Amino acid sequence: MLTADQLEQFEINGFLKGDVMLNDAEVERLREELDLVLDGKTKNKPVSARNLLDDKDYGMSMSKSETVVQVVNIWMASEAFYQHACHKQICEEIAQMSKTDTLRIWHDQIQYKPPITGGPTHWHQDHPLWPIIQPADLISAWVALDDAIIENGCMWMVPGSHKWGNHQKYLAADENFMPFHKQPDLLPAGVNTKAVPFEIKKGQVGYHHCLTWHGSPHNRSELKRRAIAVHYMPGYTKYVPSGNHPMSKHIHVNPGEILAGDGFPVVYGLQA
Ligand SMILES: O=C(O)CCC(=O)C(=O)O
């Protein structure tokens, strides 16, 4: 469980480093499962597996160019990743921060930046990229499957940015991959948009709010940078479509209804 001080830190910053949740054997198990999924060797498949940077389906084979391998909903392809999404302490802590009694998986995603050719994940806020769910109360648990450090492209965060609203279309990066707002007069007066590195140890969890500005630069190191992020929605989250999203095809409720169903399992709460 998180302490009152940790909860306050999350409330102020919009992100928080948590405990090491997975031991070496557990991380190794997930790495092996990831390999099986990327090699197309699992019976069930994820929702997508692609290079985020060329926007094509990845077809389960490794590209040689600059790459961020993104796998969405690996939990559907791998029982081990499903069990990971149900991790008791992580779910309890997300519920604490969300102040909710029920959590569902919105979706998960692997982001793997291979050595040398690992590309950037551009500055963004999560919720504006999810234009089919409301409200913007989701929290993600990002667990490192390799030490994520500055050298191999760890995430960077902008403290307090989760309180500034939707600025997605104005976010860009400067030449040092620091965040750059294209129309800063739209920001609340006096805010500081300086980013800080969010280094996470292998097996450790880092939490972030779905409006926090974040991004991760290239991986030019010899080290892999693999991670599993699970995006959790409070039980009251509704399907409110105003755009497209890869999860749309798994939705079988009507607009305005709670987003529930087989594609969005309850992982915390009375119904779990
Ligand atoms: O893994 C990364 O570098 C980015 C992940 C991310 O944007 C997220 O989990 O919301």
Side-chain angles (χ1 to χ4, degrees):
M1 294 292 271
L2 297 171
T3 63
D5 185 51
Q6 286 175 306
L7 291 169
E8 189 185 350
Q9 288 307 310
F10 183 80
E11 170 63 24
I12 292 169
N13 291 323
F15 57 90
L16 178 77
K17 284 188 200 185
D19 289 344
V20 173
M21 298 285 181
L22 305 180
N23 63 31
D24 286 355
E26 289 165 333
V27 169
E28 197 46 46
R29 172 86 207 281
L30 293 183
R31 289 173 171 177
E32 286 167 10
E33 288 283 302
L34 172 59
D35 288 345
L36 289 176
V37 171
L38 291 177
D39 289 344
K41 290 189 178 148
T42 55
K43 180 166 159 278
N44 297 325
K45 305 295 174 201
V47 165
S48 65
R50 63 186 184 129
N51 179 358
L52 255 189
L53 300 178
D54 65 13
D55 218 32
K56 287 193 213 94
D57 202 80
Y58 189 54
M60 309 293 174
S61 72
M62 183 67 74
S63 158
K64 294 277 182 291
S65 61
E66 197 168 73
T67 300
V68 179
V69 178
Q70 185 203 46
V71 182
V72 172
N73 268 14
I74 196 165
W75 74 260
M76 289 180 165
S78 158
E79 176 62 21
F81 274 102
Y82 176 67
Q83 290 307 326
H84 170 73
C86 298
H87 192 285
K88 190 164 179 292
Q89 186 180 342
I90 292 176
C91 291
E92 281 171 2
E93 293 183 350
I94 295 266
Q96 264 186 297
M97 289 180 283
S98 309
K99 303 185 188 76
T100 184
D101 60 4
T102 308
L103 286 177
R104 291 187 178 84
I105 301 174
W106 159 226
H107 67 80
D108 70 24
Q109 63 170 314
I110 292 283
Q111 283 207 16
Y112 164 37
K113 295 177 194 279
I116 314 291
T117 59
T121 305
H122 297 293
W123 281 99
H124 67 282
Q125 296 174 287
D126 291 333
H127 186 261
L129 303 179
W130 299 335
I132 59 174
I133 51 171
Q134 292 291 349
D137 289 345
L138 288 82
I139 297 176
S140 301
W142 191 99
V143 173
L145 300 179
D146 300 287
D147 286 338
I149 55 178
I150 290 176
E151 289 73 14
N152 68 354
C154 70
M155 284 200 289
W156 289 64
M157 300 276 163
V158 176
S161 52
H162 62 307
K163 295 183 191 268
W164 304 341
N166 178 354
H167 292 270
Q168 175 61 29
K169 67 178 178 205
Y170 304 109
L171 294 185
D174 72 11
E175 61 286 0
N176 298 316
F177 197 77
M178 288 298 101
F180 171 80
H181 195 290
K182 293 180 194 159
Q183 226 172 298
D185 48 308
L186 296 177
L187 284 166
V191 300
N192 183 354
T193 60
K194 191 171 178 315
V196 296
F198 197 50
E199 292 188 314
I200 302 288
K201 293 194 194 83
K202 184 176 85 166
Q204 189 182 11
V205 65
Y207 297 116
H208 64 271
H209 187 275
C210 64
L211 285 173
T212 304
W213 300 12
H214 59 289
S216 52
H218 295 88
N219 178 12
R220 301 281 190 236
S221 78
E222 305 276 346
L223 308 166
K224 293 182 178 181
R225 206 233 67 178
R226 290 163 289 190
I228 172 68
V230 183
H231 311 298
Y232 293 97
M233 46 183 178
Y236 54 80
T237 306
K238 290 186 173 161
Y239 173 49
V240 183
S242 66
N244 290 325
H245 190 275
M247 288 308 295
S248 297
K249 57 180 179 283
H250 295 275
I251 295 178
H252 305 293
V253 300
N254 295 315
E257 290 179 352
I258 299 270
L259 182 46
D262 291 350
F264 309 95
V266 174
V267 289
Y268 177 87
L270 294 178
Q271 306 156 60

